Amino acid sequence: MTLYALVYFMAIRSDAFKFIVQEIGNSQTIRTQVGDIKKIRPSFLGVFDRKTADSDEWVSMMVDVSGQKTTLELQVKAKKENGAWLLQSVKSGDQKLDLN
């Protein structure tokens, strides 16, 4: 259980997670599905995978988005290239979501 707590702590403090929270929080698509967003957090037992090469970084993580209507578990992949984060994909189950 200590390992899960460490991974959760690493995920929640990462720049990638802060970027993901901002993108999800600004998404009308997500708000339509969950209602007013109450909380966005890494899934406690979910995936958090981070790889770096030179100045580039790739992150894959599971994120729980709780809203007034329901909660979604999203699989998010993001890449940091030349100092800027970009979403590569967001999925809910097998369904790919467009956050715009």
Side-chain angles (χ1 to χ4, degrees):
M1 196 55 124
T2 303
L3 179 59
Y4 287 115
L6 178 61
V7 170
Y8 183 86
F9 180 76
M10 287 173 47
I12 207 163
R13 302 223 356 132
S14 71
D15 288 340
F17 180 67
K18 292 172 187 169
F19 166 75
I20 290 167
V21 166
Q22 178 181 343
E23 293 296 303
I24 290 172
N26 291 332
S27 172
Q28 184 60 44
T29 301
I30 299 298
R31 285 194 303 272
T32 298
Q33 291 188 28
V34 302
D36 288 335
I37 296 171
K38 304 294 182 194
K39 184 182 280 187
I40 302 170
R41 63 181 179 84
S43 296
F44 186 67
L45 298 177
V47 173
F48 177 69
D49 186 31
R50 183 176 144 206
K51 295 177 181 154
T52 57
D54 299 322
S55 63
D56 295 343
E57 186 174 346
W58 294 265
V59 171
S60 177
M61 66 189 315
M62 299 297 291
V63 177
D64 292 327
V65 182
S66 300
Q68 78 182 105
K69 294 192 286 187
T70 191
T71 297
L72 283 179
E73 183 176 64
L74 303 176
Q75 179 182 353
V76 182
K77 292 183 181 181
K79 180 180 181 181
K80 184 178 186 181
E81 187 173 38
N82 298 322
W85 281 102
L86 300 169
L87 284 178
Q88 291 187 302
S89 69
V90 179
K91 290 184 180 181
S92 177
D94 291 333
Q95 181 183 8
K96 190 170 184 174
L97 300 177
D98 181 4
L99 294 190
N100 297 325

